[in-house]
Amino acid sequence: MADPMTEVLKHQYIYVPRIKDALNIGKQLALAVAQARGTRLRVLAPQKNSATFHPELAKLAIVTERSGRLDDGGVILAWCPTHKAMEKTHHLHNSVIVLVEWIPGEFAAWAKLNGAYNVATGEVMNAGLSAEAREALEMIVSEGYNGWTKPTDQLMTTSYLEDLRSAGAYDRDLILAYARQTKWETSIERLKRIIDAFEAQTTPSPRRRR
């Protein structure tokens, strides 16, 4: 049987979903990946105490939502991150990221977009985006250049959401994950409201009982 680490080390993005004993699995896996790559592990967490609670992580460099910056390169353990914390990864292109999820499924779309290796299934995840769908997503992000604050931004974004729906590629989580690759959460909140309004218009109302 092949060594599981051999497969893990092939990938830049590693996703540990919220499975049984996920925290321990993810923690040990990230330490092993860093050791195998000959680099020191760094930790990204919502708050420092969420990582320092674990002795193996307490002695490492910890970056949080509010403090610190991650230099590109090496291995990063995204420890039960929030979307706000993951803003610290926007500029990273060469880092290996081991993401250990807290809320089940919260970062599944992130994993799909990044072609992450799923530790639970042993599969490489894939968003399966067509060229048409990817173009629509790019246009949605482009309309958010000013944080989706203008009426025209909202109007055009809604039209691209309709394009995705017509193409059978509408996926709320995937749209938000795509935008989160470059946008801050303050802007994402406005995009959510646009999506909410779009879904309210396109979701059939339940029939009234006679």
Side-chain angles (χ1 to χ4, degrees), residues 23-209:
L23 300 186
N24 186 55
I25 292 171
K27 177 174 54 180
Q28 298 304 326
L29 183 64
L31 289 164
V33 169
Q35 182 179 22
R37 292 182 176 273
T39 187
R40 188 172 176 80
L41 180 65
R42 292 165 295 159
V43 181
L44 171 64
Q47 299 178 1
K48 193 168 184 177
N49 61 9
S50 62
T52 56
F53 178 79
H54 302 266
E56 304 97 323
L57 306 182
K59 57 189 176 183
L60 303 176
I62 301 171
V63 172
T64 70
E65 285 184 7
R66 294 179 175 271
S67 66
R69 184 181 187 278
L70 293 168
D71 295 326
D72 199 8
V75 180
I76 295 165
L77 169 60
W79 181 252
C80 306
T82 58
H83 292 298
K84 178 69 175 175
M86 288 298 286
E87 290 178 353
K88 296 286 181 86
T89 68
H90 280 183
H91 65 288
L92 303 182
H93 302 288
N94 301 308
S95 301
V96 173
I97 298 178
V98 180
L99 189 148
V100 180
E101 190 175 62
W102 179 251
I103 299 174
E106 185 175 18
F107 284 92
W110 172 90
K112 291 176 183 178
L113 286 174
N114 285 289
Y117 177 75
N118 187 322
V119 171
T121 64
E123 298 174 341
V124 177
M125 300 180 73
N126 190 339
L129 294 174
S130 65
E132 181 182 9
R134 191 173 292 276
E135 181 180 3
L137 290 169
E138 284 290 345
M139 295 307 297
I140 289 171
V141 171
S142 179
E143 290 299 329
Y145 74 98
N146 199 34
W148 293 282
T149 55
K150 299 178 181 179
T152 51
D153 301 339
Q154 299 171 27
L155 181 64
M156 293 305 298
T157 296
T158 299
S159 73
Y160 297 127
L161 293 174
E162 178 60 38
D163 289 344
L164 287 170
R165 190 181 69 83
S166 298
Y170 183 84
D171 183 320
R172 179 191 178 97
D173 291 341
L174 208 59
I175 293 165
L176 291 172
Y178 198 92
R180 282 186 169 114
Q181 293 179 121
T182 55
K183 302 298 182 184
W184 308 113
E185 282 303 302
T186 50
S187 297
I188 293 298
E189 288 303 316
R190 299 189 194 101
L191 176 58
K192 283 182 179 179
R193 290 195 287 271
I194 295 172
I195 293 174
D196 287 343
F198 172 76
E199 291 180 346
Q201 293 172 358
T202 57
T203 302
S205 299
R207 293 182 178 180
R208 294 182 180 178
R209 293 183 180 178

